[in-house]
Amino acid sequence: MMAEMGKVYLIGAGPGDPGLLTVKGRDCLVKADVVVYDRLVGPKILEMIPESAERIDVGKNSGHHPVPQPEISRILLEKALEGKCVTRLKGGDSFVFGRGGEELELLAAHGVPFEVVPGVTSAFAGAAYAGIPVTHRDYCASVHLITGHRQKNGALSIDYEALNRLKGPLVFMMSVANIDEIAQGLMAAGMSPDMPCALVENGTLPSQRKCLTTLALAARKVQEAQIHSPALFIVGRVCLLSET
Ligand code: SAH
C-alpha cells in the first residue's frame, strides 16, 4: 500500500538569533519527522529540532554547494512521498535570494502539499541589529536588496546607474568577495566616494561585527577587519544613524 502523502513546510529561520524564528516556524519545526537545513540556520535554532527527527544537512559553504540544488529538491520530494512531515529550514526568508521557489516547483509538479512560512530576512534584521533603520523619511523613499554573487559567466549583473539614481539605501548580499568591484561601479556611476557604508558580519548572532566606512574605503575595510561571509554591505546615508 502506498504511504499517505506527507507535507513540506518551507520555513525561513531568520538571520540567526533564535528569537527571530517566527512562532509559526517553531510550531512547524517541533512536529517535523525530517528537517533539511542550510549553513545559515542559527545554531540555537538547530537545537530546537526534535530528538526524534531525521536531520539532513545540505549546508552550502560560500561558493560551494555540497548538496546540489536538484538533489535537495529530490530529498524533499522523496521524504514527502514517504508520508513524512518535512521541514525545510533556510536562513532568513526563503524567497530572499534563497532559492525557495526552485525547491517548491518540483513539489508542485508532483502534487505534494506544501506551506511557506516567511522568515525575517537578514537584510533588514542584520541592519537593525547594527543600529541602521533601512528606511528613514529624512533620507530616502525606497530600499533595495541586491545580490553581489557572480553569474555563471563571471559577471555581476548590477545596473549601477539605476541604483545611483534611485537614491535609496542599497543592501548587498553575497557580496563580500566583490565589494571592491561594486564600490568602483557605484562611484563610476556618480555616487560620492564619501557615501556612508556599513559592513555587518554574522548579524543578530553573538558574534556579530559591524564596521562603518565609506564607499571609497569599503574594500580596504573588508581586508583590514577580515570580514567574512555571511555579511551585509549596506550603502546609504542611513548608515550614519548607526551610532545614535
Ligand atoms: N534568504 C537569506 C539570504 C540568503 S543569501 C535571507 O533572507 O537573509 C546569503 C546572504 O545573506 C549572505 O551572503 C549574506 O549577505 C546574507 N546573510 C545571511 N545571514 C546573515 C547574517 N546573519 N548576517 C549578515 N548577513 C547575512
Side-chain angles (χ1 to χ4, degrees):
M1 205 178 77
M2 283 245 307
E4 200 180 318
M5 184 99 79
K7 183 166 178 178
V8 176
Y9 293 91
L10 178 64
I11 300 177
D17 178 346
L20 295 180
L21 174 65
T22 65
V23 173
K24 191 166 185 179
R26 189 190 56 197
D27 289 348
C28 295
L29 182 57
V30 297
K31 67 177 186 191
D33 300 316
V34 182
V35 180
V36 181
Y37 61 93
D38 274 347
R39 182 180 68 98
L40 287 175
V41 176
K44 291 271 185 231
I45 291 171
L46 296 179
E47 286 174 14
M48 296 179 201
I49 299 175
E51 286 281 326
S52 56
E54 179 185 357
R55 301 161 65 115
I56 304 178
D57 179 359
V58 294
K60 298 164 188 164
N61 293 313
S62 182
H64 303 279
H65 294 207
V67 180
Q69 194 63 48
E71 175 74 8
I72 298 174
S73 304
R74 204 187 47 74
I75 292 171
L76 299 178
L77 177 64
E78 255 173 27
K79 296 292 177 187
L81 291 177
E82 285 170 17
K84 304 277 172 57
C85 176
V86 184
T87 285
R88 172 70 172 117
L89 268 185
K90 282 175 171 287
D93 182 89
S94 305
F95 289 158
V96 178
F97 301 127
R99 298 186 164 201
E102 293 170 48
E103 295 184 11
L104 297 180
E105 281 164 14
L106 187 71
L107 300 177
H110 286 81
V112 172
F114 60 79
E115 196 173 320
V116 178
V117 181
V120 174
T121 181
S122 67
F124 296 157
Y129 274 45
I132 301 168
V134 285
T135 72
H136 186 296
R137 278 199 301 172
D138 295 342
Y139 293 86
C140 57
S142 64
V143 59
H144 309 278
L145 307 186
I146 303 122
T147 171
H149 191 67
R150 291 188 188 282
Q151 297 173 303
K152 285 209 180 75
N153 65 11
L156 288 176
S157 148
I158 301 175
D159 184 341
Y160 297 108
E161 274 79 21
L163 291 177
N164 183 41
R165 254 193 325 274
L166 285 164
K167 306 282 181 233
L170 310 174
V171 183
F172 289 92
M173 307 171 84
M174 296 179 277
S175 64
V176 177
N178 302 320
I179 285 180
D180 192 29
E181 184 177 335
I182 292 168
Q184 295 296 339
L186 289 170
M187 288 187 286
M191 194 176 281
S192 165
D194 297 327
M195 178 63 85
C197 296
L199 297 153
V200 185
E201 179 188 68
N202 292 330
T204 82
L205 289 161
S207 54
Q208 170 174 309
R209 289 199 295 158
K210 168 187 81 174
C211 297
L212 296 176
T213 180
T214 61
L215 198 52
L217 299 177
R220 196 191 302 169
K221 193 79 187 178
V222 170
Q223 296 297 329
E224 278 170 11
Q226 288 287 305
I227 300 288
H228 295 293
S229 176
L232 304 168
F233 177 41
I234 307 174
V235 179
R237 294 200 303 131
V238 287
C239 295
L240 290 174
L241 297 165
S242 169
E243 296 295 3
T244 49

